[in-house]
């Protein structure tokens, strides 16, 4: 049995190894495809390697764009696909943007999901979420595609802080003016008493 396995391994080294060495991977920048068009490619022998959230703009983890309580806050993601196909010993790889892919956003506070949103990528392969938070504090979010959800891919996640509402600059502390008024009246009373 061991001898037979050894022979098979030797044959594999001399037959399969040269094919692997000669095989090439051709990466082709593809066009943006809809989810249905990617499915059609699968029927033609292509295999989806990845369909993921690729890029983010205005991610909430950046301090300058951190959300503020009671104010709508948005961020956008783009979604890309990678498909491959073996062709005459070579591997063709095509990537591009994905139009019409469902994208999910889950928001957690203290490890408990507090919100969940779904949207679809537009004709530019972008998905935009607008969320209004009701209380300040530390949150986490996860954003992922439908394909990622079905194939056990976690997507993109990060920690961020929601800021409390700003205090208006010209709003004074209640009762603060009264202190100055009383101090002024006492000063006037003192001066009048001193004159007498």
């Amino acid at each position: 049995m061991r001898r037979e396995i050894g022979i098979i391994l030797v044959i594999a080294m001399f037959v399969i190894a040269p094919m692997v060495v000669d095989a090439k991977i051709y990466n082709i920048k593809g066009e943006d495809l809809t989810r249905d068009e990617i499915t059609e490619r699968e029927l033609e022998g292509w295999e989806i390697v990845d369909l993921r959230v690729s890029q983010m703009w205005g991610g909430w983890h950046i301090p300058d764009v951190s959300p503020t309580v009671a104010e709508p806050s948005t961020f956008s993601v783009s979604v890309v696909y990678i498909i491959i196909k073996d062709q005459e010993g070579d591997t063709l790889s095509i990537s591009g943007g994905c139009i019409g892919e469902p994208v999910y956003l889950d928001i957690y506070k203290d490890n408990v999901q507090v919100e969940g949103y779904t949207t679809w990528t537009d004709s530019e392969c972008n998905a935009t979420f607008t969320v209004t938070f009701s209380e300040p504090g530390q949150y986490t979010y996860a954003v992922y595609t439908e394909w990622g959800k079905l194939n056990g891919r976690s997507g993109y996640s990060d920690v961020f802080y929601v800021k409390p509402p700003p205090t208006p600059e010209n709003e004074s502390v209640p009762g603060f003016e009264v202190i100055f008024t009383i101090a002024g009246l006492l000063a006037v009373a003192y001066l009048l008493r001193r004159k007498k």
Side-chain angles (χ1 to χ4, degrees):
M1 178 73 171
R2 286 185 182 174
R3 183 170 178 247
E4 292 161 346
I5 292 173
I7 292 171
I8 291 171
L9 290 175
V10 169
I11 291 172
M13 277 183 10
F14 286 104
V15 175
I16 297 172
M19 289 192 295
V20 171
V21 171
D22 290 340
K24 294 181 181 143
I25 298 176
Y26 294 96
N27 295 312
I28 303 164
K29 171 63 177 145
E31 59 201 313
D32 295 341
L33 298 176
T34 66
R35 193 65 181 84
D36 290 339
E37 290 169 331
I38 293 173
T39 302
E40 287 173 16
R41 297 278 175 106
E42 285 184 286
L43 297 174
E44 297 168 3
W46 292 87
E47 176 189 350
I48 299 178
V49 175
D50 210 352
L51 187 58
R52 69 177 187 280
V53 171
S54 168
Q55 197 171 17
M56 299 184 58
W57 297 275
W60 287 326
H61 62 285
I62 302 168
D64 292 345
V65 292
S66 294
T68 301
V69 167
E71 291 182 9
S73 179
T74 63
F75 75 89
S76 295
V77 297
S78 66
V79 173
V80 298
Y81 69 87
I82 301 172
I83 56 176
I84 61 169
K85 181 179 184 180
D86 289 330
Q87 187 168 323
E88 299 173 7
D90 295 330
T91 301
L92 300 179
S93 172
I94 299 178
S95 62
C98 182
I99 302 166
E101 173 69 8
V103 181
Y104 299 90
L105 170 67
D106 296 337
I107 299 175
Y108 301 87
K109 187 169 187 190
D110 300 325
N111 295 321
V112 176
Q113 184 174 348
V114 292
E115 295 288 347
Y117 301 89
T118 305
T119 191
W120 285 260
T121 52
D122 58 22
S123 60
E124 301 292 318
C125 308
N126 299 325
T128 300
F129 296 94
T130 301
V131 180
T132 302
F133 294 90
S134 59
E135 57 183 70
Q138 180 176 324
Y139 290 79
T140 340
Y141 67 81
V143 59
Y144 50 93
T145 62
E146 171 76 8
W147 183 88
K149 179 180 179 181
L150 296 174
N151 289 275
R153 305 290 176 91
S154 58
Y156 184 87
S157 61
D158 214 333
V159 175
F160 66 101
Y161 294 90
V162 174
K163 299 178 282 194
T167 305
E169 291 177 20
N170 54 3
E171 185 180 307
S172 56
V173 178
F176 197 65
E177 296 92 354
V178 173
I179 294 171
F180 286 114
T181 304
I182 292 172
L185 289 173
L186 289 174
V188 170
Y190 174 75
L191 289 174
L192 290 173
R193 187 170 180 201
R194 200 168 170 204
K195 270 190 167 181
K196 289 184 181 179

